[in-house]
Amino acid sequence: MKLRDELDLFANVVHVKSLSGLNVRHKNVDMVVIREQTEGEYSALEHESVTGVVECLKITTREKCRRIAKFAFDYATKHGRKKVTAVHKANIMKLGDGLFLKQCEEVAAMYPTVEFNNMIIDNCTMQMVSNPHQFDVLVLPNLYGNIVDNLAVGLVGGAGVVAGASYSTRCVVFEPGARHTFSEAAGKNVANPTAMLLASANMLHHLNLQHYGDMIQNAVDRVRTKDMGGFATTTAFANAVIASLKH
């Protein structure tokens, strides 16, 4: 959170896409989850007003709602995406989430070539599990984004196989797409490094080093750890990618 605040990494982007060869329920999933990550419940503004009573503040501002909405539509336009879905709980949080939804609607009017709809977070999670192919780009406030991107990566194989990135107006931080701690895999040489390696490929693509990014992407596509139905250890996976790059 300190890193995000210091660099103003307001937009977290996770491209959730099916990998070949994985035994998952839904095939050909391809969606982008865009999460505002500088306010909302994750502002960590809470206090114990009296003993046993805690108040947690959910901060929502027009400026940041509009900024993430515009980022989502700009992203959709740049990457040839057809639809943006705003996910919210404005039926209950009429002021906070209502403000987020209103800004998304106003920004959507500026992009007539991009389809826009909105969905309540409860329904979104149910629809994602049953029919993820209906989604293209999703834009969400902080907490909902955290929940949905973890759910989405689970559809394509888990947190270890999806890369993400966090954007500010002046820099980008490339990282795994879902922030889990794999304590059960620590020190056992079994952790899946796909997400981190794909994050490296995405960074090269961002720097217009397309050829080198593709080399890493293609190498990763050919190796499988045990959780992906293969036999490679973490070390063997890394060595195979290095060997492929040398070749």
Side-chain angles (χ1 to χ4, degrees):
M1 288 181 63
K2 289 182 179 179
L3 181 66
R4 291 179 225 163
D5 290 341
E6 180 69 24
L7 298 177
D8 192 28
L9 299 169
F10 69 92
N12 179 247
V13 178
V14 179
H15 184 186
V16 181
K17 188 174 183 179
S18 297
L19 297 177
S20 60
L22 290 187
N23 183 23
V24 292
R25 179 179 179 182
H26 298 287
K27 306 295 185 181
N28 302 315
V29 174
D30 187 356
M31 72 179 86
V32 178
V33 181
I34 298 179
R35 164 192 176 191
E36 202 293 323
Q37 61 176 8
T38 61
E39 58 180 14
E41 293 87 348
Y42 274 61
S43 300
L45 297 174
E46 54 184 6
H47 63 276
E48 190 172 23
S49 54
V50 297
T51 303
V53 179
V54 173
E55 295 179 327
C56 179
L57 301 180
K58 173 176 177 173
I59 305 299
T60 305
T61 63
R62 178 184 181 277
E63 177 186 2
K64 292 188 176 182
C65 289
R66 194 171 189 87
R67 179 171 67 169
I68 195 65
K70 192 169 189 311
F71 181 96
F73 279 91
D74 284 342
Y75 184 98
T77 301
K78 179 179 179 180
H79 293 88
R81 296 278 171 166
K82 305 299 183 184
K83 181 171 71 172
V84 172
T85 301
V87 182
H88 60 91
K89 190 67 175 175
N91 59 320
I92 301 298
M93 300 180 190
K94 299 183 185 300
L95 294 180
D97 282 21
L99 177 62
F100 172 81
L101 178 57
K102 185 174 188 297
Q103 295 310 307
C104 289
E105 291 171 341
E106 289 182 1
V107 171
M110 301 162 55
Y111 296 80
T113 61
V114 180
E115 180 185 349
F116 172 72
N117 69 337
N118 72 85
M119 191 173 290
I120 296 172
I121 179 63
D122 316 47
N123 187 31
C124 176
T125 54
M126 180 181 66
Q127 295 285 336
M128 185 168 289
V129 172
S130 61
N131 180 23
H133 302 99
Q134 66 182 288
F135 297 109
D136 194 356
V137 175
L138 298 95
V139 58
L140 313 92
N142 208 338
L143 179 61
Y144 311 150
N146 183 41
I147 295 168
V148 167
D149 66 29
N150 280 276
L151 173 59
V153 300
L155 297 176
V156 297
V161 300
V162 181
S166 292
Y167 292 79
S168 77
T169 56
R170 64 184 188 276
C171 65
V172 189
V173 174
F174 294 89
E175 57 194 342
R179 302 180 183 100
H180 285 301
T181 54
F182 296 95
S183 56
E184 71 279 3
K188 298 179 181 178
N189 201 25
V190 297
N192 190 330
T194 298
M196 188 60 73
L197 289 166
L198 290 181
S200 302
N202 290 343
M203 181 177 69
L204 292 169
H205 291 152
H206 181 76
L207 294 169
N208 292 320
L209 298 172
Q210 190 73 32
H211 173 68
Y212 300 103
D214 289 345
M215 288 174 67
I216 294 178
Q217 174 82 55
N218 294 334
V220 169
D221 287 344
R222 290 194 291 269
V223 189
R224 292 286 184 266
T225 47
K226 291 181 180 180
D227 59 311
M228 299 170 67
F231 301 95
T233 62
T234 307
T235 303
F237 193 117
N239 288 340
V241 171
I242 292 170
S244 179
L245 295 177
K246 287 182 178 179
H247 177 73

